[in-house]
Amino acid sequence: MGRKRKRKSARRSIESASSGQEAVVLEYNIIKEEIFVLMQRCDNLIVTMYTISITLLGVGLELDNENCYFLIILFLLPMQGLINVRRFHMARCSVYIEMCLEPRMPGLQWEKTVAQIDLKFKQSYLKNRWASKWALLLIGVGTILIAFVSLVFYFEGLYSKSGLSFANICGMVCACILFLMLCVLTRDYLQYEKIKEQYKEIIQDIGKRI
């Protein structure tokens, strides 16, 4: 009887372990799929943001209307915020996989491997290719460039048409505030690795409390 009980308990432990591993793999696949979806949404938002902004810039130049330039800055701000939210969700999912799932499944090392590959790529490949570095820089700060050009055209349009009236000064101040807010959002967008480190600290802190 004792042996039979031991065998039953052993089978139950094996079944629970296998079911636990299957749950981890399932959760892993779901989160990886979510990361891919978030990446695609970020790409779509970036393309939409640049397309509409450049279109508004062309309309403003064609109609000689400074309000179009103000609309560009006003449009870029929430779009960049949406992109940041998607990007932060990607960082959160990536850190969760790396710290909570991969240690429980030794065969799953996607996040750690990709992080090492990216680090080596930046150190060896991009370091000796200034063109690639400039390309990455332009992609990262493209929003700021468009907003700055729009801000200059907006100031020039207001000043050339009606000078420094009270209404124009208020409009310039509002545009500058929006531009600074956009700079802050773009800075957060470029600090993806720093955001991941912050998520790691949060998870470690939660683990200590538990």
Side-chain angles (χ1 to χ4, degrees):
M1 293 294 292
R3 290 181 179 178
K4 290 183 179 180
R5 290 180 181 177
K6 289 182 180 179
R7 288 177 182 176
K8 289 182 179 180
S9 61
R11 288 178 181 176
R12 289 175 182 175
S13 62
I14 292 173
E15 290 175 357
S16 62
S18 61
S19 62
Q21 289 182 350
E22 291 177 358
V24 172
V25 173
L26 179 61
E27 187 177 11
Y28 179 89
N29 291 330
I30 291 174
I31 296 177
K32 288 302 299 181
E33 183 66 26
E34 183 177 356
I35 291 176
F36 292 143
V37 171
L38 290 170
M39 290 174 61
Q40 186 176 11
R41 289 178 179 176
C42 277
D43 293 340
N44 292 338
L45 285 172
I46 291 173
V47 171
T48 302
M49 181 177 66
Y50 286 160
T51 301
I52 295 178
S53 299
I54 294 174
T55 301
L56 287 174
L57 188 62
V59 171
L61 291 172
E62 181 69 23
L63 300 179
D64 192 20
N65 190 339
E66 64 277 2
N67 292 326
C68 291
Y69 307 131
F70 185 83
L71 285 176
I72 293 174
I73 303 173
L74 195 63
F75 169 75
L76 288 174
L77 191 63
M79 289 295 292
Q80 187 63 53
L82 289 174
I83 294 171
N84 286 7
V85 170
R86 303 293 190 277
R87 194 166 173 82
F88 293 167
H89 286 173
M90 287 169 52
R92 182 185 61 185
C93 293
S94 175
V95 170
Y96 179 78
I97 288 177
E98 180 180 350
M99 299 188 66
C100 299
L101 297 183
E102 288 185 350
R104 297 161 61 185
M105 295 292 292
L108 301 178
Q109 299 295 324
W110 170 266
E111 293 299 330
K112 291 182 180 179
T113 304
V114 169
Q116 294 175 359
I117 291 173
D118 290 342
L119 180 61
K120 292 293 184 181
F121 182 80
K122 291 178 181 178
Q123 291 176 347
S124 61
Y125 183 79
L126 293 181
K127 186 175 181 180
N128 300 321
R129 289 161 175 78
W130 60 270
S132 299
K133 295 173 69 175
W134 278 106
L136 291 176
L137 182 63
L138 288 175
I139 292 173
V141 299
T143 306
I144 299 298
L145 292 176
I146 295 175
F148 181 76
V149 171
S150 302
L151 188 68
V152 172
F153 286 163
Y154 179 66
F155 283 3
E156 191 275 335
L158 289 179
Y159 183 76
S160 62
K161 290 183 178 180
S162 53
L164 293 177
S165 64
F166 178 76
N168 288 348
I169 293 175
C170 291
M172 291 178 180
V173 171
C174 291
C176 288
I177 293 174
L178 294 175
F179 178 76
L180 292 176
M181 293 172 64
L182 185 62
C183 290
V184 173
L185 289 177
T186 305
R187 181 203 61 185
D188 294 339
Y189 172 81
L190 296 174
Q191 294 180 340
Y192 180 75
E193 295 299 327
K194 188 175 181 180
I195 297 298
K196 287 182 65 175
E197 293 299 325
Q198 292 177 354
Y199 275 121
K200 289 181 181 179
E201 293 176 1
I202 293 172
I203 292 178
Q204 290 174 353
D205 183 60
I206 293 174
K208 292 178 181 179
R209 294 180 181 179
I210 296 175

